[in-house]
Amino acid sequence: MKKISRRQALKMAALAGGSIVLPVGLQYRGYAQRANDPVQPFTLGFRTPPVLSPVRSDATTDYYQITMQTAQVGILPGQTTEIWGYNGIFPGPTIKQRKNRQSVVRFINNIAIKQRSNRLSMWFPKTLSVNTSVHVHGMPSQPQYDGYARDFVSTGYYKDYVYPNTNAATLWYHDHAHGRTSQNIYMGLAGMYIVQDDDELNLPLPKGDYDVPLIIHDKQFASDNSLIFDDQAHVRLMGDVITVNGVPWPRMEVANRKYRFRVLNASISRSYRLALSTGEDLIVIGTDGGLMSAPVNTKDMRIATGERYELIIDFSKYPIGTQIVLQNLGLPNNDNFTHTDKIMRFDVVRAESDDSFVPSTLRNIEFIPESSAVRTRDFTIEQRSADQLWVINNNGWDRNRVDANPQLEDVEIWTFNDTANISFHPMHLHLIDGRILDRNGQPPFPYERGLKDVFYVGENERVRVIGKFRPHTGRYMFHCHNIVHEDHDMMSQFEVGQGGVDPMSAPAKPLPAPPL
Ligand code: C2O
Ligand code: CU
Ligand code: CU
């Protein structure tokens, strides 16, 4: 059967008055009920997620507690939508930590969803348990605290995760439960995690209120304001409403000065090509692994799910009253809707003095030379025609299989090879920061030349990545960060050295929990 796109399907459905029966796999749940442009861009105010305070602190460690729970929140104006959020909000609270202080975060799972679809549930109401697993993306955690896909924290359980905070960078925490990560994150289980150090704080970059998270995530709402989870038969999930920090297309009032933005693409599948409507440059100062060695100016840039970029936007060149749209110029294999070409708007509303500037050297990064690699591994990433699964070297996920076994401190080159034009694949390695050597034999984009843990492998691209496998031995996952692909089934694992801690060795415990 020729695959028809979801847009074609939409058109067909519209032509048939919404009543045609779509072929199996195109029967998108709730599709006919999709709300029609439920909110106009730039009408809602910008906000940032709250910063989480520790429950207590001692000489080495800050102790935090976060409860995963269902909540009714306002996303569309005047309406409520059910989400599953860390502390009941999306994005979850931001965790801010200093480098080399330890964090212990107790994650409690209180998510209980009511069974809906079954007629009997009217007479025998039942609440369903939800499996979760928490991963701090970008953190070199020990295997038992890395959010292993089968290391579930189920409803009624809690787990105390330990994080070393060894790198100053913009990280994020999100769900990683096997086979249902896309649904769990889509329902709201994601938040930012920022690690800072003195070197960075001593730079003259914009700080405090001028250092702002932008967490981008697309959603789709039914006409009753509930979230529609539509992964198009495990291909991709594409919302028509773009949210930033949980607000659809917000409007942010800014002063005529420089701001630092920590941009995280927390979408399930969508990638964006960022640009300013004024045509001015974005100044890239950081990548997934922290500050770059030097700033890079670019007119536009692509960002896939899981990637983080830190940008400086200089609003001092605009007169008060100027409106600047952060645009999405679009990329292949993303579905476009009326307003998915825009993300948010900055309105320059006031004058302020600004003593911040962007230094020409941000930090000294010792990049690993290609010559230090002890081996190369090749990974072909594709959709298997027999069963439509997304596979790595023709394999899906198997917790008992390890596909690479570098020794501790080994430097390796991994090649990710996409040989089709049906999708892009942001490939993510846990544990390590690496860098892109080349893409189709060409140098990476200038803004990608920093430490990274997600590598954009576009259509028909062959991307070579170099990294050093440290600081822990043990088993870690690597996968496509199109989370629909990750769930079906583009995920595998490597094992560093021998005899590392078993990722399943610190299982969640039943509630109630003792004091933290
Ligand atoms: Cu952001 Cu394994 O994930
Ligand atoms: Cu990760
Ligand atoms: Cu993929």
Side-chain angles (χ1 to χ4, degrees):
M1 186 187 84
K2 187 176 170 298
K3 255 178 90 186
I4 53 173
S5 77
R6 176 247 199 76
R7 300 188 71 197
Q8 287 167 305
L10 232 194
K11 233 181 261 164
M12 285 162 55
L15 288 171
S19 63
I20 70 158
V21 177
L22 295 171
V24 180
L26 287 168
Q27 291 172 2
Y28 303 132
R29 196 152 44 94
Y31 215 1
Q33 276 80 45
R34 188 180 143 246
N36 195 19
D37 283 351
V39 49
Q40 286 307 302
F42 320 134
T43 54
L44 299 172
F46 179 81
R47 59 156 200 251
T48 57
V51 174
L52 188 68
S53 305
V55 176
R56 72 183 174 93
S57 300
D58 61 27
T60 59
T61 307
D62 297 304
Y63 299 81
Y64 300 89
Q65 180 167 308
I66 290 179
T67 302
M68 299 176 252
Q69 59 197 64
T70 56
Q72 303 290 330
V73 300
I75 303 173
L76 302 177
Q79 311 291 343
T80 58
T81 297
E82 181 175 295
I83 65 156
W84 311 341
Y86 293 114
N87 283 353
I89 56 175
F90 174 77
T94 301
I95 299 178
K96 237 186 193 177
Q97 186 55 281
R98 295 300 292 260
K99 180 174 163 173
N100 294 332
R101 261 189 84 72
Q102 181 173 266
S103 310
V104 172
V105 187
R106 171 169 293 171
F107 283 95
I108 296 171
N109 183 349
N110 269 340
I111 302 170
I113 50 171
K114 287 183 204 76
Q115 189 179 30
R116 279 205 190 128
S117 44
N118 186 337
R119 265 168 209 233
L120 286 176
S121 63
M122 206 165 110
W123 308 105
F124 305 101
K126 210 176 145 190
T127 49
L128 301 177
S129 160
V130 173
N131 288 336
T132 67
S133 174
V134 187
H135 171 56
V136 176
H137 178 140
M139 181 78 70
S141 303
Q142 295 222 75
Q144 70 275 35
Y145 302 124
D146 196 45
Y148 194 63
R150 298 297 303 193
D151 183 29
F152 292 140
V153 184
S154 304
T155 301
Y157 285 74
Y158 75 98
K159 174 163 173 161
D160 296 342
Y161 289 81
V162 181
Y163 302 120
N165 303 309
T166 38
N167 303 315
T170 302
L171 318 179
W172 62 305
Y173 62 105
H174 65 73
D175 192 74
H176 220 300
H178 177 238
R180 54 171 308 121
T181 299
S182 51
Q183 195 173 358
N184 286 1
I185 295 181
Y186 184 68
M187 289 305 290
L189 294 174
M192 192 172 271
Y193 191 123
I194 297 170
V195 181
Q196 297 189 290
D197 66 5
D198 290 337
D199 293 343
E200 178 213 331
L201 287 166
N202 289 334
L203 292 173
L205 296 168
K207 290 182 183 48
D209 289 347
Y210 307 103
D211 176 350
V212 181
L214 300 184
I215 303 167
I216 306 174
H217 175 94
D218 54 333
K219 288 201 180 301
Q220 196 172 104
F221 295 87
S223 49
D224 67 356
N225 308 311
S226 64
L227 293 172
I228 298 174
F229 180 87
D230 169 14
D231 74 0
Q232 303 188 45
H234 307 335
V235 171
R236 58 188 185 228
L237 185 152
M238 290 280 155
D240 58 340
V241 174
I242 310 289
T243 67
V244 178
N245 299 343
V247 179
W249 300 285
R251 166 184 172 272
M252 179 186 185
E253 298 193 340
V254 295
N256 64 345
R257 52 157 293 150
K258 289 183 260 347
Y259 284 71
R260 171 181 183 171
F261 293 105
R262 297 174 187 260
V263 184
L264 157 65
N265 182 352
S267 304
I268 302 304
S269 303
R270 186 181 289 282
S271 63
Y272 303 82
R273 190 147 72 94
L274 306 178
L276 295 175
S277 57
T278 53
E280 295 283 346
D281 285 349
L282 298 162
I283 306 165
V284 185
I285 59 164
T287 54
D288 307 331
L291 290 176
M292 303 185 77
S293 48
V296 167
N297 281 52
T298 186
K299 292 268 179 252
D300 64 82
M301 57 189 301
R302 56 186 193 178
I303 180 169
T305 83
E307 285 188 291
R308 291 87 68 208
Y309 283 107
E310 299 188 31
L311 310 177
I312 300 287
I313 302 179
D314 186 357
F315 298 109
S316 69
K317 38 175 71 96
Y318 305 115
I320 309 287
T322 309
Q323 300 175 334
I324 302 121
V325 174
L326 180 61
Q327 298 174 311
N328 170 26
L329 301 181
L331 287 164
N333 291 308
N334 288 274
D335 300 338
N336 304 315
F337 298 94
T338 316
H339 295 302
T340 46
D341 59 346
K342 23 189 144 12
I343 295 169
M344 64 179 291
R345 196 176 78 196
F346 305 102
D347 291 2
V348 184
V349 296
R350 61 181 187 274
E352 255 177 45
S353 64
D354 181 7
D355 54 7
S356 72
F357 64 93
V358 183
S360 56
T361 301
L362 294 161
R363 67 164 167 161
N364 195 15
I365 304 177
E366 279 174 44
F367 287 114
I368 306 165
E370 189 174 339
S371 58
S372 62
V374 296
R375 67 186 70 77
T376 296
R377 300 181 198 270
D378 294 309
F379 298 99
T380 297
I381 46 179
E382 63 192 349
Q383 187 175 37
R384 189 160 62 193
S385 51
D387 54 9
Q388 306 291 299
L389 275 187
W390 302 93
V391 290
I392 303 174
N393 286 350
N394 207 28
N395 288 316
W397 166 254
D398 177 352
R399 60 188 282 206
N400 298 314
R401 197 188 71 244
V402 166
D403 281 337
N405 182 214
Q407 296 307 295
L408 190 63
E409 303 291 334
D410 273 1
V411 174
E412 297 196 346
I413 295 170
W414 286 22
T415 300
F416 295 109
N417 208 355
D418 175 77
T419 55
N421 59 9
I422 55 169
S423 189
F424 54 91
H425 305 281
M427 296 304 295
H428 171 48
L429 275 70
H430 285 218
L431 185 68
I432 69 165
D433 283 329
R435 81 181 157 98
I436 301 179
L437 287 173
D438 47 44
R439 175 182 283 114
N440 290 346
Q442 299 297 118
F445 296 112
Y447 60 81
E448 292 177 301
R449 294 177 199 164
L451 295 174
K452 293 188 58 53
D453 55 44
V454 180
F455 309 96
Y456 199 119
V457 184
E459 293 76 5
N460 284 307
E461 287 183 359
R462 180 174 183 273
V463 177
R464 289 201 312 146
V465 169
I466 189 167
K468 188 184 240 182
F469 289 81
R470 62 177 311 279
H472 308 300
T473 54
R475 257 186 297 146
Y476 290 92
M477 299 174 287
F478 69 100
H479 56 86
C480 178
H481 222 292
N482 173 338
I483 304 165
V484 171
H485 295 184
E486 170 186 340
D487 280 343
H488 309 277
D489 214 37
M490 200 175 257
M491 180 158 81
S492 180
Q493 55 191 343
F494 59 90
E495 181 168 7
V496 183
Q498 285 77 34
V501 181
D502 183 339
M504 303 287 285
S505 62
K509 298 182 181 133
L511 292 167
L516 190 60

